[in-house]
Amino acid sequence: MPSKFDVIVIGSGIGGLVTATQLAAKGAQVLVLESYVIPGGSSGYFERNGYHFDVGASMIFGFGKQGTTNLLTRALDAVNVSLETIPDPIQIDYHLPNDLRVQVHRDYEKFLQELGDKFPQERQGIRNFYDECWQVFNCLNVMELLSLEELGYLTRVFFQHPLACLGLVKYLPKNVGDIARKYIKDPTLLKFIDIECYCWSVVPADITPMINAGMVFSDRHYGGINYPKGGVGKIAEKLVEGLKKHGGKIQYKARVDRILMEKGRAIGVELSNGEIYYGKRIVSNATRWDTFDKLLPDTPLPKKEQTWRDRYQESPSFLSLHLGVEKSVIPPDTACHHILLENWQHMQDPEGTIFVSIPTLLDPDLAPEGYHIIHSFTPDWIAPWKGLSTTEYEGKKETAAGRIIERLETIFPGLDAGLDYMEIGTPRTHQKFLNRHNGTYGPIPQRKLLGLLPMPFNRTSIPGLYCVGDSTFPGQGLNAVAFSGFACAHRIAVDLGF
């Protein structure tokens, strides 16, 4: 393999792979370095006893057929690969305190009708709030989503879509709670808006940016939730296939120990086995904590990064249960995705909210005949899992799994008796296999901020070094990190003259 490239990407998460494929499609010489044996990071997979498990969530935005927000479809198209998807008619089936049960249907009017039936006195306020989310989405959906750091792009988009741009500028400093309280007074309904945000932003509405909500709350009805046939891991596999088609390279079991610097500029990387590769531009798909604390140990933390750390903290990791269960446990009309919360006060607590995905309801081939997969996960922190002996660690995992299964029995009676297989992942698991600081799934605001305005973009204070993924604008989620990949690739392509 040559030792010099136009661009080196550290990590093969979706943000890193979109960056790499976009640049390879433009003719750049790209190398992706992945420490694990397969691509995808938290969008990867693993196989056990005939079950094909997604590592992370299986609720996937970005596979729509029209508009500009279908970023995963566009990323695959750019490198001439495609992926069959299966439409999901219900985004989430909420099981909430005081027997509040709401399903978010793909059909927008059906969803408004169901939510309005639960809160009839707020029917008009519900419509007004979600319609305003559509205003944000419609602004995004008329423009190509590329780097907000590139003046030429911004100028071009403004002259092409001036009203849409002005509309987005209006919402950049706003959070969802600000908008929701304009229309809604019922405290329980406002809590429902909180968990609508929490299920993908891991924070309540008051500190969830309105731009992100406009995308999520509308795209689920526009492009819809579409599950990739064969599992979420197929997305990364297809992007790698497209990368290679366009001359890009990926190296597995390639753990980057440090980013090489010369005269204050990032010029290459050194692997744990001593191999060195040089690049005109270096892209880190690691978290910003890992990038600046581990890959740049001898470089003082830039002031902008310290400011970012003062504003944001790491989100929790997850306690994950990957279950194989007898088919009889899951009624045939069950929705694929569920959220269980028994007490509003515990929504943000460790093990407070339980997320459930049953991808075999959409793609039965992921499990042996007669069985389903249940992936249940709940927020958790790494601290209680540190310093344990092997026996203590395994015992703590079994005890935690028992608590989760007992709660899931309220939705799926007979779950425990129908168990065929169980694998338990903790924040330690996420840290070890995904190389993420404390197993975190990205940054969340430490306090109420001005919407998306404080989020860092792809360029860093170190010349030649860029960041991509959930630590950059616009944040967490598969479609969001794909956006950051498009933006990063566009910025680098301009910088390199492609």
Side-chain angles (χ1 to χ4, degrees):
M1 186 183 293
S3 62
K4 196 156 191 177
F5 294 84
D6 292 318
V7 181
I8 295 173
V9 180
I10 304 167
S12 68
I14 297 301
L17 286 177
V18 170
T19 303
T21 50
Q22 286 288 303
L23 287 164
K26 291 176 168 66
Q29 304 230 320
V30 181
L31 170 65
V32 178
L33 297 168
E34 169 55 51
S35 62
Y36 197 45
V37 294
I38 60 169
S42 58
S43 301
Y45 70 94
F46 63 96
E47 294 177 330
R48 299 283 191 275
N49 292 16
Y51 294 98
H52 183 106
F53 291 111
D54 296 330
V55 170
S58 53
M59 186 193 305
I60 308 299
F61 294 82
F63 273 129
K65 302 295 185 187
Q66 56 187 347
T68 63
T69 62
N70 53 349
L71 296 172
L72 294 175
T73 300
R74 288 175 53 206
L76 294 170
D77 286 347
V79 284
N80 307 116
V81 292
S82 61
L83 187 55
E84 182 185 349
T85 59
I86 305 158
D88 188 353
I90 294 173
Q91 182 211 7
I92 295 176
D93 189 346
Y94 286 105
H95 307 257
L96 301 173
N98 302 315
D99 296 321
L100 176 60
R101 177 90 179 267
V102 179
Q103 290 188 327
V104 180
H105 301 274
R106 191 175 186 127
D107 184 294
Y108 181 56
E109 291 299 327
K110 192 174 180 180
F111 164 59
L112 292 187
Q113 180 67 43
E114 177 160 336
L115 189 57
D117 288 346
K118 306 290 183 182
F119 300 93
Q121 76 283 7
E122 293 277 14
R123 199 178 292 276
Q124 189 57 51
I126 290 168
R127 178 174 291 279
N128 290 343
F129 167 68
Y130 285 103
D131 278 357
E132 187 151 349
C133 293
W134 275 102
Q135 292 178 31
V136 177
F137 179 81
N138 291 335
C139 290
L140 290 166
N141 200 34
V142 297
M143 61 182 70
E144 191 178 10
L145 302 179
L146 296 173
S147 176
L148 302 185
E149 296 181 278
E150 207 271 292
L151 184 59
Y153 161 74
L154 293 176
T155 304
R156 183 173 71 254
V157 168
F158 181 79
F159 281 110
Q160 289 173 341
H161 309 285
L163 295 179
C165 289
L166 291 173
L168 285 181
V169 169
K170 168 186 168 185
Y171 287 106
L172 272 173
K174 294 187 181 297
N175 293 309
V176 178
D178 304 325
I179 307 300
R181 282 192 298 274
K182 283 194 334 187
Y183 304 115
I184 294 168
K185 304 301 178 194
D186 186 291
T188 302
L189 181 54
L190 287 171
K191 288 183 183 301
F192 176 77
I193 302 299
D194 276 336
I195 201 163
E196 275 263 82
C197 294
Y198 184 78
C199 72
W200 47 270
S201 71
V202 208
V203 288
D206 269 352
I207 50 178
T208 297
M210 185 61 183
I211 295 280
N212 295 38
M215 173 79 85
V216 173
F217 291 162
S218 304
D219 193 40
R220 63 191 181 184
H221 307 293
Y222 181 83
I225 308 299
N226 299 282
Y227 187 76
K229 177 76 174 166
V232 173
K234 290 292 181 185
I235 303 172
E237 287 184 350
K238 282 291 183 180
L239 286 170
V240 168
E241 180 186 324
L243 175 71
K244 293 177 178 178
K245 270 187 182 181
H246 287 76
K249 299 182 185 299
I250 184 166
Q251 185 174 331
Y252 298 106
K253 298 184 185 177
R255 181 180 292 275
V256 175
D257 260 7
R258 65 188 181 105
I259 295 169
L260 302 176
M261 301 286 290
E262 185 177 274
K263 297 179 180 178
R265 183 179 188 86
I267 60 163
V269 298
E270 182 177 355
L271 306 189
S272 56
N273 64 4
E275 286 183 87
I276 289 178
Y277 296 108
Y278 295 98
K280 297 175 185 175
R281 297 293 187 273
I282 311 300
V283 179
S284 176
N285 193 191
T287 70
R288 293 183 97 96
W289 295 287
D290 291 306
T291 300
F292 286 91
D293 292 348
K294 294 181 180 177
L295 301 181
L296 291 161
D298 302 321
T299 302
L301 186 67
K303 185 178 178 182
K304 284 185 178 178
E305 293 302 317
Q306 184 58 59
T307 301
W308 177 77
R309 293 184 184 198
D310 292 341
R311 292 170 172 166
Y312 290 87
Q313 61 186 339
E314 62 198 70
S315 69
S317 185
F318 290 100
L319 173 68
S320 300
L321 271 61
H322 297 276
L323 310 176
V325 302
E326 293 175 5
K327 203 169 185 178
S328 59
V329 173
I330 310 297
D333 60 347
T334 303
C336 178
H337 305 288
H338 300 256
I339 284 182
L340 172 63
L341 175 66
E342 299 93 343
N343 188 324
W344 290 116
Q345 308 254 327
H346 299 321
M347 183 181 80
Q348 294 179 264
D349 293 348
E351 296 187 29
T353 301
I354 298 179
F355 303 79
V356 180
S357 293
I358 314 170
T360 39
L361 289 166
L362 301 174
D363 186 356
D365 294 341
L366 299 174
E369 188 172 352
Y371 292 89
H372 274 300
I373 283 170
I374 295 181
H375 178 199
S376 175
F377 51 104
T378 185
D380 202 1
W381 298 98
I382 200 168
W385 297 94
K386 288 183 173 179
L388 303 175
S389 69
T390 301
T391 303
E392 290 170 332
Y393 182 59
E394 293 301 323
K396 187 177 175 67
K397 287 203 300 183
E398 293 288 338
T399 302
R403 289 195 300 268
I404 302 302
I405 289 172
E406 184 178 356
R407 291 168 65 189
L408 290 177
E409 286 264 358
T410 62
I411 307 177
F412 308 115
L415 172 62
D416 192 26
L419 270 181
D420 174 63
Y421 180 83
M422 178 168 69
E423 184 140 344
I424 308 163
T426 73
R428 272 174 53 173
T429 316
H430 290 84
Q431 182 184 50
K432 178 179 178 179
F433 289 101
L434 302 179
N435 285 321
R436 299 187 65 86
H437 177 71
N438 289 334
T440 181
Y441 270 68
I444 55 176
Q446 297 212 41
R447 57 187 183 278
K448 187 174 181 179
L449 299 170
L450 291 174
L452 278 181
L453 289 178
M455 279 290 284
F457 292 112
N458 301 108
R459 284 190 294 187
T460 71
S461 299
I462 296 175
L465 176 64
Y466 303 73
C467 283
V468 72
D470 52 31
S471 297
T472 63
F473 180 96
Q476 299 175 8
L478 230 61
N479 216 27
V481 299
F483 185 171
S484 80
F486 275 97
C488 190
H490 177 75
R491 179 66 263 180
I492 292 172
V494 172
D495 291 346
L496 292 178
F498 282 98

